[in-house]
Every structure is written in structure tokens, then in C-alpha cells.
Amino acid sequence: MDTLRIQGGAALVGDMRVPGDKSISHRSVLLGALGDGPTTVTGFLDGRDCLATVGIMQVLGVRIERHTATGLTIQGVGLHGLHPPGGALDCRNSGTTMRLLSGLMAGQRFGSVLTGSRQLCTRPMDRVIAPLRETGASISGADGGGTAPLTVRPAAHPLQGVRYAMPVASAQVKSCLLLAGLYAASATTVIEPGPTRDHTECMLRGMGVHVVNEGRRITLEPPERLKGTNVAIPGDPSSAAFLMVAACIVPGSRLRIVDVGLNPTRTGLLDALLQMGADIRMGNRREAAGEAVGDLLVGYAPLRGSEFGGDLIVRMIDELPLLALACSQAEGPSRIRDAQELKVKESNRILDTERQLARLGAVVHGTEDGFAIDGDSSLHGACVDSCGDHRLAMLLAVAGLAAQGETVVAGAKVTDDSFPGFAETLKALGGAAERGPADA
Ligand code: S3P
């Protein structure tokens, strides 16, 4: 298992671009595959999760040409052109792949089995099984339960459009139903309890599909076809978040992160940090392929503790442990509520964030629905563990940058799931980070 060694205290200074958005990368391949004609993609995330989606679509008979690590052409086969796979479809560690693919496979005239890593096979899939069954799809989990492997049988009748009010605010569940809805006999409506990321809707619109977002209600009319398109994928705001928080809490830091996705469904952390008094400015705002994009200028500034909950939480679901870290460095206590979903991510991000940050001296109490954080913690280097979670590994590295002494993150290779080159990026910006084997 490899490690990431961080020497604390070095400011991050410079200009950089983070790898492409993970959510949009998955969608570009899944939807591009269903297009009539080619879809060209730039800025694709060459990370392990998205490569799992690429591998599966190739198994389903889609030709995907990689021109560079981040440039692809997907030769769309049309809505009904996928081939039956020869074996189980391996989603590896990627929850997005499995949940979105389950909707797509539900609409096919052939059956399939969706499997993945041991970790993925413990994550809740009942949230897609139940609504897919309402469409008439035949899908079941392992031993008839709510976890993968998922077995999808060809439906006896065409799927029905449904009206589904999601009990949890989940872009993955919404997207799963919209993908199934492409094959339904009538319109599909999903009602979301909070504003989840809308990349699926944006891309479908760009491919000529009639999808309407009216407040919390999203309605898709089944299309005849999807047009191939060009997708320019911006930098992932969830990856930029690690650098942003590092710059906020390590004195002397000043970063410009260029070409970051600024879709309002993803900018919750930005709003939360501004609420705490952070020095962050947005520049060069524009739109590319239906998505808001811009540059972020971030500098160190003292932060104030604050309270967070409600819709803001959905808009920063993957960044909440980072917010907890920022709060631990702020003046005064903070509270993060309405974040129960963190328990079912790549790790239990409430429990594991509390435990691992505690080793570094941060007082971040896990609660039933988030965190209660004592401010003004001084951090010290320690040995910590990624728990197999890419975002936890990077969170701990950022905490290490703000700590005194050396921090060793074990199991750090997992950062490749979403941010290949993470350690090298820190190093290029002046952060003392080295990858190496555990016993180095
Ligand atoms: C994602 C949606 C979020 C997020 C995940 C990616 C997506 O999950 O946590 O990293 O691409 O749709 P949920 O929709 O389950 O909250």
C-alpha cells in the first residue's frame, strides 16, 4: 500500500488547473454512447472511476478512441445499439457508474449483471432498485437485498414513465431514472428534496432531449434519438476544493485555479467558505458546453466558525469533510447539519473523518447528521489512513499541510480514483508532498 508524506507549513502558491469533472466525465461516456454519431470530449478525467465507465461501455460494444489522456471520441451507437455483454459489468469502486448504469441497463432488451469492488458491494443500491421497479424494470440486488451485484433482466414490457419523489437528495438516483426514462413509453418526472447536481439534464439538453427543470421537479420526455455532441469538461470543483481549503488554512498561500466548473449545484463549499470570511474571488466567468466555468483566486485569511445546513449541504456533499477541517482552523465553534448521506459514501465519512482528523489534533465530533467542530485546533503531524476513500486521503493530506511536522497518509494511491497527480500538484505549488511505499 503506498503512502503520501507531507511536511507541514509550506504555503501553496501558483496557478494551476485541476483534472476534469468526474460527474461530467462519466455522463459524457454514458450519454455519448447512446448518441447518433460521434461525441467528442475534451478535459476527460483520466481517473480510475471514469475509466471503469469507459471499460463497461466498450464491453457493451461502443468504440471509444482515446486521442490523449483527456481527449476522447465516443462513436455513439444510438439508443438501441448496445450489445449484450459477455459477462458481469465491473463498476470497480465507482458508485456513479453503478447507479447510472443500472438505469441504462433497465431499458435494454438484454439482461446484465452489475458488480464492483468489495467496498462498492456494501453501498446502498436499494435507492435505485425501488424506483426502477416502479418503471416496470426487473432488477434485484444480491440475495434479493439492496446491495450489488445487481441483476437486471430484460423487462417483459416497455418501461413506464414514473413520477418519483426521491426520499434522499441524490443526483445519482435522479440520473438513473432519467436514463431509464430515455426508454420509457411516457414522460418521467423526478422530484428532488434538495438541488442536486444537474449535469445529466444539461448534457441531455445539449443532445436534443426535452428535459425541463421546474424548481425541484425534473421532467424528461422520451426522445426518438440523442444527437452526438461536443463536451468540454471543466476542472472538477470537488478536486479544486482540496487546494482551495489548503490555501485558506495554510498562511502565506495564494492560488489561481483556472477553468473550474462553477455550476451552482456544485458551489456550496465556495459559499460556505465565504460565509466564514475566506479570501476567494471568482474571475473569467463564462459558459462552456452548457456548464458555468471560471477561475478561482484563493488566499489565506483568518476564518470564523459558522453554522451550515439545508440546501447548502446538497450543493457541497463531497466537500463537507473539508469544510469540517476548515472549521477546525477557524475562530469559534461550528456546526454542520443535514449531512447523514456522508455515512454511505466511499467510507463512513462522518466516522472516519472524526477518527482520522483526531489523530492530527482536530476536534471534529461526528454527530448523527454531520459534525460539531471546536475551532482553533492546532494540528500536528501523525500517521493517518485513507480508509480506502480517495477524498479522505486528500483531506488528510490537506490537514497535513496545515500541521506542524510530518504527516503520513497510508493507502494514498486511492487518490487516483478522482485526482490523478494529486501529490505532484501539491508539490508543484510548493507543498512538501512525496509519494512512496509504506515502508519507505
Ligand atoms: C455524484 C453525485 C453525488 C456525489 C458523487 C457523484 C454524481 O452522489 O456524492 O461523488 O456524479 O451524480 P449522490 O447523488 O448519491 O449524493
Side-chain angles (χ1 to χ4, degrees):
M1 189 185 285
D2 79 335
T3 56
L4 184 53
R5 286 175 186 269
I6 307 276
Q7 307 299 330
L12 298 186
V13 180
D15 290 11
M16 45 88 55
R17 189 187 192 282
V18 290
D21 189 280
K22 181 155 87 71
S23 296
I24 303 178
S25 294
H26 282 297
R27 287 153 172 84
S28 69
V29 174
L30 289 168
L31 294 177
L34 305 180
D36 282 351
T39 284
T40 57
V41 181
T42 55
F44 185 78
L45 171 61
D46 188 31
R48 293 193 295 200
D49 279 14
C50 295
L51 294 176
T53 299
V54 168
I56 287 174
M57 296 321 284
Q58 286 172 326
V59 166
L60 292 168
V62 181
R63 237 176 57 232
I64 300 177
E65 292 142 22
R66 293 188 63 162
H67 309 295
T68 60
T70 62
L72 311 178
T73 301
I74 301 141
Q75 300 295 346
V77 294
L79 271 172
H80 301 284
L82 297 176
H83 293 174
L89 300 170
D90 185 0
C91 304
R92 302 197 208 166
N93 222 17
S94 174
T96 307
T97 307
M98 182 166 283
R99 295 202 179 105
L100 270 59
L101 193 68
S102 66
L104 179 52
M105 290 298 102
Q108 304 307 310
R109 297 181 183 128
F110 52 82
S112 52
V113 174
L114 280 55
T115 189
S117 67
R118 237 187 6 216
Q119 185 194 60
L120 183 57
C121 290
T122 63
R123 294 183 63 190
M125 293 299 150
D126 38 354
R127 54 183 60 194
V128 289
I129 295 173
L132 282 176
R133 282 187 180 156
E134 288 188 25
T135 70
S138 169
I139 176 166
S140 52
D143 303 321
T147 53
L150 303 178
T151 303
V152 185
R153 294 195 176 78
H157 305 286
L159 301 185
Q160 291 307 306
V162 288
R163 184 185 163 87
Y164 185 70
M166 292 190 291
V168 288
S170 166
Q172 295 181 349
V173 175
K174 171 179 69 176
S175 302
C176 161
L177 288 173
L178 295 178
L179 282 164
L182 293 173
Y183 295 92
S186 53
T188 294
T189 298
V190 184
I191 300 150
E192 51 185 12
T196 71
R197 62 194 70 190
D198 61 356
H199 307 302
T200 304
E201 297 94 299
C202 290
M203 202 175 290
L204 282 170
R205 263 182 227 119
M207 299 179 85
V209 181
H210 189 71
V211 193
V212 192
N213 291 54
E214 291 165 307
R216 297 283 154 87
R217 210 172 53 215
I218 300 103
T219 300
L220 171 139
E221 298 288 342
E224 290 287 318
R225 59 190 285 265
L226 270 63
K227 287 189 305 220
T229 187
N230 296 327
V231 187
I233 301 180
D236 195 327
S238 298
S239 298
F242 295 101
L243 304 172
M244 197 157 81
V245 168
C248 286
I249 65 175
V250 181
S253 296
R254 177 140 294 276
L255 291 182
R256 181 203 305 269
I257 314 173
V258 301
D259 298 338
V260 185
L262 294 176
N263 180 317
T265 61
R266 300 287 299 280
T267 49
L269 178 69
L270 205 74
D271 295 344
L273 291 170
L274 289 172
Q275 186 178 322
M276 296 172 73
D279 173 14
I280 306 177
R281 277 168 298 140
M282 275 185 257
N284 193 17
R285 295 189 70 160
R286 60 203 187 278
E287 209 186 281
E291 293 279 351
V293 186
D295 299 347
L296 291 173
L297 292 131
V298 194
Y300 169 79
L303 302 175
R304 296 182 297 276
S306 194
E307 305 240 329
F308 308 96
D311 285 355
L312 184 64
I313 297 299
V314 188
R315 295 175 48 237
M316 58 179 304
I317 190 68
D318 290 334
E319 291 72 69
L320 289 167
L322 267 172
L323 179 63
L325 170 65
C327 290
S328 79
Q329 301 306 293
E331 188 191 332
S334 297
R335 186 82 166 81
I336 300 173
R337 296 190 165 83
D338 304 324
Q340 311 72 324
E341 272 294 293
L342 290 183
K343 293 181 188 168
V344 291
K345 295 294 179 186
E346 284 84 331
S347 68
N348 178 336
R349 286 189 181 153
I350 294 185
L351 197 69
D352 292 329
T353 298
E354 172 181 17
R355 285 190 183 152
Q356 299 299 321
L357 282 182
R359 295 192 188 180
L360 292 155
V363 188
V364 172
H365 304 285
T367 65
E368 218 8 73
D369 72 342
F371 301 102
I373 307 123
D374 291 359
D376 313 290
S377 297
S378 55
L379 303 177
H380 50 77
C383 291
V384 287
D385 195 293
S386 71
C387 305
D389 180 341
H390 54 128
R391 296 198 202 282
L392 193 59
M394 293 186 275
L395 167 81
L396 296 168
V398 171
L401 290 171
Q404 277 194 356
E406 185 182 74
T407 294
V408 181
V409 184
K413 187 162 172 46
V414 75
T415 56
D416 290 349
D417 284 0
S418 63
F419 197 152
F422 173 70
E424 293 73 13
T425 300
L426 289 186
K427 215 168 153 180
L429 296 170
E434 281 305 333
R435 277 176 88 143
D439 51 3

